[in-house]
Structures are given as structure tokens and as C-alpha cells.
């Protein structure tokens, strides 16, 4: 019987996830030839036989104070165009991009991901997010500022519209008969005629059904409401879990929800975030970690702190007293919960609350030799904490080197990670079935 194997993805956020990573002497802080740079990274990930590249995204800079513009990297590339380019530079690895349902339209999203799936031969994935907080809203129409609850309601509708658009052309709809002049079977092309509070979409899509049927759907979160949505819609969950018991609880919870929607445990994969520092010796790995940590500045991360606390820090310092939550219904839900925790623990300043959250949350972080790291990854796989991991390099390109050249060979030696791709599409890599067309099944 074949041993259960890890699924592995990687983010390619240049210069890396650490706030001070761009200052590291080995970091490519601002690539002057981005196509060559990202091609090298993507091919390296593909050489390591990873399942997919995962590009995070947001619709703003990461700065709420002037000094953050000076001290943080605030420029990058739009991920959909980047992944389309990388689809021509790679042949097997999956290509996943974040796209917000709050500040986009379902028709555009369906077209873009269907096109990426065609260009890549079935390797596209969509990381579905609802933009949190108010900062991204400043770059869009002023009266479109839905509350957190409204964003999830809208997102559920949005995702179903996109999936319907992907299905609007059945697999056999295109006849392409030159002799009769018949391009398509009109009975296998479907209109949506969708009208709701949020969207008006007639359809059908003007791109044929994607090779995967539906590009892989990734969602991130851990709340009860999130787990229910993910059990209904997602193919992959990206989440945070630092300790195995917490990871096991979420893993078991979401897997037990799947039968309600006619799904099996293997139809939804849980891939928590992973940070690692690998070295030939444990001391070398610790040195890598310490060097990077010394480059980071908490004060240079106000934007990230504002995100985690759901709090506007534009006119505040970290040592200011914790403000009262907003009184408007639906606003500041996360911060209101955190403020209650702070009051219970006697935390009075923004810095104190942030440091508490930082210690409690975050991704699994492993420091050690390849053998030590592989031991822990295998434990999470065997003991029901994860189906695999989403690697978040602290620094690029050398962080990816540590995974591909040091850790993956050890995982392959143990027989818990592939030595070669067995399929051509991302769904085949992940062991996910191709969805049936909702219109054809009628």
C-alpha cells in the first residue's frame, strides 16, 4: 500500500516574508530583471516537485505611516500576469493567485482563471479572499465598504457565480465542424441569468470550460463559519497553526463537515503555513534564524500589526493606550474580541496586545537539520494535523534553496514526498477529482 504523502506549495513573495528580509545580503530585494528572477524561482520549485506556487496579493501598499514607506518593500508584480508568464516557463507545477471577491467582478475573475488554466494546461488555482479592514477600500469606489459579515455573504454568491460561468460551456459544447459550419452545440452552452443584491451576470462565459473543469479553489481561515464555507466550496485550506493539537482539532473539524455536502475527506486538503530555517547542523540553522530576526523592526511593521488587530494605526504609536472598539454595527469585529482578551489579561497598550497575539498565533516554524525538520513534518502528516504545508520563505532565493535542496531530499528518502510528477494538472498532483459540470448533470 502506498504511503500517505505530503502536499507542498510555496509562496514566492520577494524578497521574503520577514519584515527585514530585503536588508539581508543574500536577498534579491528589488529584481531588476523580474522575468528572469521569477522564472528561476519557479523552475527551482518545479525541480523540487512542489505542487504549486502560491502568490499572495493585496490592493494597496503595506504602509500606514511615512516611515514604513522608507523601511519596507512596497512594490511587487500583479500576480495573475506574473503567473501567466510563468506558465510558459514551466510545465508541471501549479500556479495559484490570490484575488479578492470584495473588489472585483465574477465575470472578470472567471475569465482570468479559465484563461490561466488553458495557458498552463490545467495548472491554475484561485486563492479566494475577502479584503479585510478598510484600507483597500480607499482605492475603490467610496460607497462600497461592506461589513465583514456582508463580505462573506457576497463572497459565497461570487464563488458560485464563477463556478457556474466555468460550467457555462459543457466539455462537448465546441463541435468545430468545418464541413457543416457548426462551431458549437447551442444546447450545451448555458446562460446564468443571475440577479442578486450583489451581482448581475447573464453569461455565458466567453472562454471555454477550463481543462480542470474548475481551477483549484484555495481558502484561508480557521473560524467556525469559515470551516463550514470551506467544507462546501474549497479544495485546499491555508491556515495558521503553530502547535499540533490545535492543527488536529481544525483538521478533524473540517473533515467531519464534508459528508454534509456529498464530499469525501480526500476532497479537501489542509495545508497550513510553514516557516523553516534549515542547516547542515542545528547551530547553522539557528544562526540563519537569528540573523534574520535581527534585521526586523517591529516599528516598521505597523501596517501588518494594523491588519492583525483590525485597527487603524495611521495616527497612533505602538505605545498608545488601546482605543475603544468602533460603535458601528459590523465594524471592528475582530478588534472588539481582541480588546476583550486584552482587558481580561490586563494588556493596556497596542504593543502589549500585538506581542501577545504574535506569541499565540503565527505559522509552524521549524529550525534544525533536514532530518529534524522532516521528523516534525512527518509527525503532522501521520497524526492528522495536515495533508501538507504551504512554505513561506523568510528570504528569497536562498529560503527556497533550503526547502528544495535540503529538506525535500530527506522527505523523498522517507517515501512521503514524490520524486516526480505523476500527472499534468494541478488537480492530479493534489489527488482531487475533476468537478462535474452542473448544467450537464441536469
Amino acid at each position: 500500500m502506498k504511503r500517505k504523502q505530503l502536499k507542498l506549495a510555496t509562496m514566492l513573495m520577494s524578497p521574503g516574508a520577514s519584515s527585514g528580509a530585503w536588508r539581508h545580503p543574500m536577498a534579491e530585494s528589488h529584481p531588476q530583471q523580474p522575468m528572469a528572477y521569477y522564472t528561476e524561482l519557479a523552475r527551482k520549485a518545479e525541480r523540487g516537485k512542489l505542487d504549486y506556487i502560491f502568490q499572495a496579493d493585496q490592493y494597496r501598499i503595506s504602509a500606514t505611516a511615512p516611515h514604513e514607506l522608507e523601511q519596507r518593500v512596497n512594490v511587487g508584480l500583479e500576480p495573475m500576469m506574473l503567473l501567466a508568464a510563468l506558465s510558459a516557463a514551466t510545465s508541471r507545477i501549479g500556479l495559484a493567485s490570490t484575488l479578492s471577491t470584495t473588489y472585483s467582478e465574477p465575470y472578470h475573475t472567471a475569465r482570468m482563471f479559465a484563461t490561466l488554466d488553458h495557458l498552463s494546461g490545467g495548472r491554475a488555482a484561485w486563492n479566494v479572499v475577502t479584503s479585510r479592514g478598510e484600507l483597500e477600500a480607499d482605492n475603490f469606489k467610496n460607497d462600497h465598504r461592506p461589513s465583514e459579515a456582508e463580505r462573506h455573504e457576497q463572497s459565497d454568491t461570487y464563488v458560485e457565480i464563477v463556478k457556474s460561468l466555468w460550467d457555462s460551456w459543457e466539455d462537448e459544447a465546441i463541435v468545430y465542424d468545418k464541413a457543416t459550419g457548426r462551431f458549437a452545440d447551442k444546447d450545451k452552452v448555458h446562460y446564468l441569468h443571475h440577479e442578486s443584491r450583489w451581482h448581475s451576470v447573464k453569461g455565458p462565459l466567453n472562454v471555454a470550460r477550463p481543462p480542470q473543469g474548475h481551477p483549484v479553489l484555495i481558502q484561508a481561515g480557521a473560524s467556525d463559519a469559515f470551516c463550514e464555507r470551506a467544507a462546501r466550496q474549497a479544495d485546499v485550506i491555508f491556515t495558521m497553526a503553530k502547535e499540533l493539537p490545535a492543527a488536529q482539532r481544525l483538521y478533524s473539524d473540517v473533515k467531519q463537515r464534508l459528508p454534509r455536502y456529498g464530499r469525501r475527506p480526500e476532497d479537501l486538503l489542509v495545508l497550513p503555513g510553514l516557516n523553516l530555517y534549515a542547516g547542515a547542523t542545528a547551530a547553522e540553522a539557528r544562526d540563519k534564524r537569528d540573523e534574520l530576526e535581527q534585521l526586523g523592526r517591529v516599528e516598521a511593521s505597523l501596517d501588518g500589526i494594523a491588519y492583525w488587530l483590525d485597527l487603524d494605526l495611521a495616527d497612533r504609536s505602538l505605545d498608545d493606550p488601546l482605543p475603544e472598539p468602533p460603535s458601528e454595527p459590523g465594524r471592528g469585529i475582530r478588534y472588539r474580541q481582541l480588546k476583550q482578551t486584552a482587558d481580561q489579561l490586563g494588556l493596556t497598550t497596542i504593543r502589549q496586545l500585538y506581542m501577545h497575539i504574535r506569541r499565540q498565533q503565527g505559522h509552524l516554524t521549524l529550525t534544525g537539520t533536514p532530518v529534524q525538520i522532516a521528523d516534525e513534518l512527518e509527525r503532522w502528516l501521520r497524526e492528522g494535523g495536515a495533508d501538507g504545508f504551504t512554505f513561506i520563505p523568510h528570504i528569497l532565493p536562498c529560503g527556497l534553496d533550503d526547502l528544495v535542496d535540503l529538506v525535500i531530499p530527506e522527505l523523498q528518502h522517507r517515501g512521503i514526498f514524490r520524486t516526480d510528477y505523476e500527472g499534468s494538472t494541478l488537480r492530479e498532483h493534489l489527488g482531487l477529482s475533476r468537478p462535474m459540470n452542473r448544467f450537464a448533470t441536469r
Side-chain angles (χ1 to χ4, degrees):
M1 181 177 178
K2 186 176 181 179
R3 301 179 68 186
K4 185 177 181 182
Q5 295 199 330
L6 283 165
K7 308 300 181 184
L8 288 175
T10 185
M11 288 188 177
L12 295 184
M13 299 187 300
S14 183
S18 296
S19 62
W22 68 273
R23 301 172 59 208
H24 194 282
M26 296 184 68
E28 186 76 41
S29 303
H30 182 51
Q32 298 302 306
Q33 296 181 316
M35 189 65 221
Y37 172 73
Y38 282 104
T39 295
E40 181 180 355
L41 288 175
R43 287 176 174 169
K44 183 178 297 179
E46 190 169 63
R47 178 168 56 82
K49 312 304 178 185
L50 272 66
D51 290 276
Y52 59 88
I53 297 163
F54 177 34
Q55 292 300 100
D57 195 24
Q58 61 182 11
Y59 303 145
R60 61 185 181 89
I61 60 172
S62 296
T64 56
H67 71 270
E68 290 180 276
L69 285 172
E70 293 182 330
Q71 299 174 6
R72 293 176 63 88
V73 175
N74 272 297
V75 292
L77 298 180
E78 193 283 315
M80 287 298 294
M81 294 191 70
L82 172 60
L83 293 178
L86 293 179
S87 72
T90 56
S91 61
R92 306 294 282 279
I93 196 165
L95 307 165
S97 175
T98 296
L99 193 146
S100 171
T101 58
T102 307
Y103 300 115
S104 60
E105 287 290 335
Y107 200 90
H108 289 152
T109 297
R111 289 185 76 207
M112 288 191 292
F113 280 100
T115 297
L116 181 60
D117 209 46
H118 281 288
L119 291 176
S120 63
R123 295 185 282 136
W126 172 24
N127 178 41
V128 184
V129 301
T130 58
S131 298
R132 195 169 82 190
E134 294 293 314
L135 296 176
E136 291 188 1
D138 293 337
N139 291 319
F140 298 91
K141 195 172 184 294
N142 288 334
D143 62 357
H144 184 65
R145 293 174 181 253
S147 68
E148 183 175 349
E150 289 174 321
R151 292 177 193 203
H152 292 311
E153 176 190 334
Q154 182 234 358
S155 184
D156 285 349
T157 302
Y158 189 115
V159 171
E160 290 307 314
I161 293 171
V162 169
K163 290 163 70 175
S164 295
L165 286 169
W166 286 335
D167 285 344
S168 59
W169 289 75
E170 294 184 32
D171 292 323
E172 301 82 16
I174 298 176
V175 180
Y176 202 64
D177 189 332
K178 292 184 178 181
T180 64
R182 188 167 174 250
F183 179 80
D185 181 345
K186 61 181 176 57
D187 294 327
K188 294 186 177 182
V189 183
H190 304 277
Y191 290 83
L192 274 64
H193 298 296
H194 174 91
E195 293 288 343
S196 65
R197 173 189 177 189
W198 301 107
H199 301 289
S200 176
V201 182
K202 180 180 179 181
L205 197 64
N206 59 357
V207 180
R209 193 167 194 245
Q212 295 185 103
H214 300 165
V216 172
L217 294 182
I218 305 168
Q219 294 184 346
S223 70
D224 182 74
F226 164 79
C227 288
E228 195 65 27
R229 289 194 305 274
R232 185 175 68 253
Q233 293 181 330
D235 298 306
V236 176
I237 289 179
F238 172 58
T239 189
M240 290 192 300
K242 296 186 73 169
E243 305 293 339
L244 180 57
Q248 290 169 322
R249 287 192 293 272
L250 184 142
Y251 187 92
S252 175
D253 180 11
V254 73
K255 296 280 186 174
Q256 289 176 4
R257 298 174 191 246
L258 293 169
R260 301 177 197 172
Y261 304 101
R263 306 181 70 192
R264 305 165 300 165
E266 58 267 33
D267 292 334
L268 177 62
L269 302 175
V270 181
L271 273 61
L274 169 67
N275 303 136
L276 64 82
Y277 302 91
T281 65
E284 180 184 318
R286 289 193 297 270
D287 288 344
K288 289 182 179 181
R289 179 195 62 197
D290 295 344
E291 183 179 19
L292 263 175
E293 288 181 348
Q294 290 170 8
L295 295 176
R297 304 172 184 172
V298 173
E299 287 75 9
S301 304
L302 288 181
D303 185 79
I305 297 171
Y307 177 83
W308 284 114
L309 300 186
D310 195 15
L311 184 64
D312 185 357
L313 297 181
D315 299 315
R316 296 185 173 98
S317 76
L318 292 182
D319 295 311
D320 283 348
L322 288 167
E324 291 301 315
S327 57
E328 299 89 345
R331 303 292 178 186
I333 296 175
R334 176 173 170 79
Y335 177 67
R336 185 175 291 109
Q337 296 169 341
L338 294 175
K339 180 64 164 60
Q340 291 174 352
T341 300
D343 292 342
Q344 293 168 0
L345 297 176
L347 308 175
T348 59
T349 70
I350 296 171
R351 185 189 300 271
Q352 289 173 343
L353 177 57
Y354 170 67
M355 295 307 292
H356 170 74
I357 298 300
R358 184 176 178 178
R359 287 189 294 268
Q360 298 298 315
Q361 297 188 358
H363 299 290
L364 173 65
T365 300
L366 302 178
T367 304
T369 65
V371 170
Q372 291 170 329
I373 291 171
D375 284 344
E376 191 66 8
L377 299 183
E378 184 171 11
R379 186 164 78 98
W380 280 53
L381 178 68
R382 300 286 175 235
E383 298 183 18
D387 294 303
F389 296 90
T390 304
F391 175 52
I392 309 169
H394 284 292
I395 183 173
L396 287 170
C398 56
L400 186 58
D401 294 338
D402 286 352
L403 177 67
V404 171
D405 297 331
L406 298 180
V407 177
I408 284 180
E410 176 62 27
L411 298 174
Q412 291 171 330
H413 175 71
R414 298 175 184 217
I416 59 172
F417 190 68
R418 67 170 65 89
T419 56
D420 202 358
Y421 295 107
E422 296 179 357
S424 59
T425 71
L426 179 54
R427 285 188 172 274
E428 289 172 332
H429 301 342
L430 297 173
L432 300 171
S433 60
R434 187 176 188 269
M436 296 181 65
N437 188 303
R438 65 187 61 198
F439 297 107
T441 57
R442 291 179 183 177

